[in-house]
Amino acid sequence: MLWLDADEELETGHEQLLMEVLKNSTTTMYLMPVMNYYGESFPVDREKAFIYYQPRLFQNHKGIQFYNRIHETPIFPNPHDSSYTTDYLEIPIHHYGYIDKLTTKRNKAERNLQLIQEEYKNPNHSPWIEYHLANEYYRRGDYNKAFDYLNEFVFLN
């Protein structure tokens, strides 16, 4: 299973590599480079991007589930099971979700904040939720709240 968000696309030109991996691999999960573009509008400026390697390609029927409503994280049913393997696959994914024109049009900041606040209410939430809250408040210019959540994130970790 290949996981892409609606504002992402797989880079073309790597079809042969992808087919080889799908046919021959026993790897459970691949981490792929996600190019996150930011800026005002299109066309994207390749200098305005940051990259994260994220788990994006998974074998089916391994019980992998996603944790969190937003900034989802895939987890193995038993993380200590040595039969689950990971590797890197150098096929870039282009993510356009931080382009101002799109975030404004979709009211993404407000939607993200609401979803993250819902996660925060769960007493067993991931400590990364505080980090994501800090980012959303920083983006809004509410630096005091951002700093409070960042401190909470650092304290929990």
Side-chain angles (χ1 to χ4, degrees), residues 83-100:
S83 69
Y84 296 113
T85 58
T86 60
D87 201 353
Y88 291 90
L89 181 58
E90 294 296 330
I91 301 176
I93 296 171
H94 299 277
H95 176 231
Y96 306 106
Y98 297 113
I99 300 292
D100 292 342

Side-chain angles (χ1 to χ4, degrees), residues 3-63:
W3 168 39
L4 294 175
D5 284 345
D7 53 10
E8 295 177 336
E9 62 185 10
L10 190 64
E11 184 172 286
T12 59
H14 303 276
E15 295 80 6
Q16 187 64 36
L17 173 59
L18 183 59
M19 293 306 293
E20 287 176 27
V21 166
L22 293 175
K23 286 180 185 175
N24 301 317
S25 180
T26 58
T27 301
T28 310
M29 179 168 58
Y30 283 96
L31 292 106
M32 299 171 69
V34 179
M35 302 296 299
N36 296 278
Y37 298 101
Y38 61 92
E40 291 182 24
S41 62
F42 293 97
V44 295
D45 178 351
R46 300 235 178 225
E47 297 295 316
K48 291 183 176 180
F50 54 95
I51 185 171
Y52 287 134
Y53 278 75
Q54 297 178 347
R56 292 305 190 95
L57 184 64
F58 315 94
Q59 277 188 6
N60 286 330
H61 312 295
K62 293 290 183 173

Side-chain angles (χ1 to χ4, degrees), residues 120 125 127 130 147-157:
Y120 184 73
H125 69 268
E130 283 80 2
F147 189 67
D148 289 343
Y149 281 114
L150 189 58
N151 279 333
E152 195 173 331
F153 169 74
V154 171
F155 177 72
L156 291 173
N157 290 302

